[in-house]
Amino acid sequence: MAGWLVKSEPNTYSFEDLQRDGRTVWDGVRNNAAALHLKAMKVGDEVLFYHSQEGLAVVGIAKVAKEAFPDASDPSGRFVAVELTPVRPLKTPVTLQQMKAEPALADMAMIRQSRLSVSPVTAAEWDAILKMAG
């Protein structure tokens, strides 16, 4: 299984919202690189949920429940969405500052391409983040 990271502004849609809802359509992604990552997601892949703008931290883990399908919010029909379900919150959120200070995460896509809202996470990066989260 692959690992991924998605970003959301917590005042728009937070991990707590995902826990409350039990499932969400991850749509509205209009960056081509991020859209390719959505297309690569498979059912069962785990996803780090990152709060952007406010908090700036990985706060939880979600799982892909439905693979890429046409994004209903895209009138052009070019982009896709996936469905995510919550797995669990992290015991301790892992901040962007902590991630940038961790040598094992120096090559992480989210750090190198900070504007991407969806990015891959290697197994070693995943393990480092979970270790940091306790």
Side-chain angles (χ1 to χ4, degrees):
M1 280 191 284
W4 305 95
L5 181 141
V6 297
K7 294 180 181 179
S8 182
E9 296 176 20
N11 61 350
T12 301
Y13 195 82
S14 69
F15 188 73
E16 292 78 15
D17 293 330
L18 177 59
Q19 289 181 293
R20 179 198 64 226
D21 297 345
R23 176 180 293 257
T24 194
V25 173
W26 205 262
D27 60 2
V29 174
R30 298 296 182 265
N31 175 283
N32 288 321
L36 287 174
H37 297 315
L38 285 179
K39 288 178 183 177
M41 290 179 169
K42 301 296 178 206
V43 169
D45 284 354
E46 289 195 321
V47 180
L48 295 172
F49 197 109
Y50 178 86
H51 280 171
S52 61
Q53 301 297 318
E54 295 175 25
L56 302 178
V58 176
V59 297
I61 299 173
K63 188 174 279 195
V64 177
K66 184 176 179 183
E67 294 177 19
F69 56 91
D71 182 341
S73 73
D74 174 27
S76 76
R78 275 183 48 211
F79 293 98
V80 298
V82 298
E83 281 189 9
L84 300 179
T85 57
V87 174
R88 69 178 188 278
L90 294 184
K91 182 178 178 182
T92 304
V94 179
T95 68
L96 178 60
Q97 185 177 4
Q98 290 171 306
M99 292 166 66
K100 285 183 173 182
E102 173 55 53
L105 302 177
D107 292 328
M108 189 171 181
M110 193 212 71
I111 293 172
R112 287 185 296 105
Q113 297 172 301
S114 62
R115 297 186 71 77
L116 283 183
S117 61
V118 181
S119 59
V121 178
T122 68
E125 292 164 348
W126 188 277
D127 291 344
I129 289 171
L130 290 189
K131 184 177 179 183
M132 294 166 74

